[in-house]
Amino acid sequence: MTVDPRAASGFADVAEAYQRGRPGYPREAIDRIVGRFELTASSTVLDLAAGTGQLSRLLQRRVGHVIAVEPVAAMRARIAADLLQITVLDGAAEAIPLADAAVDAVVVGEAFHWFDVAAASAQIARVLTAQGGVALLWNTPTWTVQDTPWLHAFRQIVADHRRAAGDYPAGNGSWKDPFERAGHFERLVHSQAVHKQTLEPDDLLAQIGSWSWIANLQSAARAAVLDDVAALLAGHGEIVIPYRTDLYLAKRRPALEPD
Ligand SMILES: C[S@@+](CC[C@H](N)C(=O)[O-])C[C@H]1O[C@@H](n2cnc3c(N)ncnc32)[C@H](O)[C@@H]1O
């Protein structure tokens, strides 16, 4: 199983913080996934790299069966504890523990940048039915120093740690070329949706603590970051963070018939 060690350790101890602090996904994005892949009460969907099951939660109300695959045991335990009707499996994108053509759609939230793109896209295509497709989602905060005056100081607290953690295996959009070159899917269709997260300062601290590059710091350094942010937010009431969700949808390309 190929899981970047920074992901394996970074998500090992943050399941509670993750579930508490991360923003989830807008209904519009879920509607587009359901519409594009014609998902119904008899469809099965794989939430790959499911984390604490944020996408699984949203999809279980819309489709017949959700399977969550996640390599980090503590994250998996959080899904299993909350979402009894979802099948939860240990596994990685590069070796999905499902039979061929087992699911009608695969969704990947905030995780495709961690994958080995060629191996993962071949595996995703393998587990999809002939009419199936994949949905890749990422949230990006669109806050600015104009609407959030403490943002500049906040960025100064965390920026060096982000840089020091290094690039993601397929981050900064570098997943796209190898995904398209692998040839398992039709053209990617990109769309965006916006949403907002309203949270208390403690929830934002939980979110920051759930970022793998903060979670992976030595405990004293991690505590120092969180203390600095807590001091910055002291006395703040509710915080509203605006997000853009980027959604990429692609249908599986039909397998070539032998001549
Ligand atoms: C930022 S979290 C996203 C979790 C969830 N999909 C969500 O939308 O909230 C990234 C997740 O990717 C998982 N992950 C990292 N590398 C993986 C791989 N190669 N295969 C499957 N999951 C992986 C991590 O364990 C972590 O739970």
Side-chain angles (χ1 to χ4, degrees):
M1 189 184 290
T2 335
V3 175
D4 190 290
R6 292 171 299 169
S9 58
F11 294 109
D13 295 319
V14 297
E16 289 309 314
Y18 194 102
Q19 184 53 30
R20 175 173 177 188
R22 294 284 182 129
Y25 299 95
R27 188 192 165 111
E28 212 176 323
I30 304 299
D31 287 346
R32 285 182 204 158
I33 297 168
V34 168
R36 176 73 181 148
F37 302 134
E38 299 177 35
L39 302 175
T40 66
S42 50
S43 306
T44 298
V45 174
L46 166 62
D47 182 5
L48 181 59
T52 56
Q54 295 223 344
L55 272 173
S56 299
R57 270 180 190 76
L58 298 170
L59 281 159
Q60 68 163 342
R61 304 177 202 135
R62 309 287 297 271
V63 304
H65 185 203
V66 175
I67 302 171
V69 167
E70 163 61 43
V72 173
M75 299 292 252
R76 270 199 318 278
R78 192 65 166 72
I79 312 176
D82 284 4
L83 304 172
L84 299 179
Q85 58 284 62
I86 287 178
T87 305
V88 184
L89 301 175
D90 181 9
E94 297 80 1
I96 299 174
L98 292 177
D100 296 358
V103 300
D104 302 294
V106 176
V107 298
V108 184
E110 294 281 335
F112 203 81
H113 53 278
W114 285 113
F115 297 170
D116 171 331
V117 176
S121 46
Q123 283 284 294
I124 292 170
R126 179 185 68 74
V127 301
L128 280 170
T129 56
Q131 293 73 35
V134 66
L136 313 178
L137 301 93
W138 283 273
N139 280 319
T140 306
T142 54
W143 49 7
T144 64
V145 278
Q146 282 72 40
D147 56 40
T148 311
W150 47 267
L151 189 56
H152 181 65
F154 170 69
R155 285 179 173 152
Q156 284 186 320
I157 296 170
V158 298
D160 285 348
H161 297 298
R162 177 67 200 90
R163 256 192 305 277
D167 292 335
Y168 296 105
N172 291 333
S174 67
W175 59 273
K176 257 187 232 165
D177 280 353
F179 179 87
E180 285 175 335
R181 249 194 335 267
H184 302 293
F185 291 90
E186 291 178 357
R187 195 175 55 85
L188 280 163
V189 177
H190 176 217
S191 65
Q192 297 181 328
V194 293
H195 62 131
K196 285 187 173 150
Q197 181 186 25
T198 301
L199 67 189
E200 296 296 329
D202 277 355
D203 302 325
L204 180 56
L205 285 171
Q207 178 183 141
I208 295 162
S210 81
W211 294 344
S212 61
W213 44 279
I214 297 291
N216 276 329
L217 295 173
Q218 296 291 327
S219 57
R222 187 171 61 244
V225 170
L226 295 177
D227 285 351
D228 286 351
V229 179
L232 185 67
L233 298 179
H236 269 273
E238 254 178 11
I239 296 162
V240 179
I241 306 181
Y243 288 92
R244 179 189 79 233
T245 300
D246 285 283
L247 171 65
Y248 295 85
L249 299 175
K251 286 202 168 179
R252 184 184 184 282
R253 189 165 272 169
L256 290 177
E257 297 298 334
D259 290 337

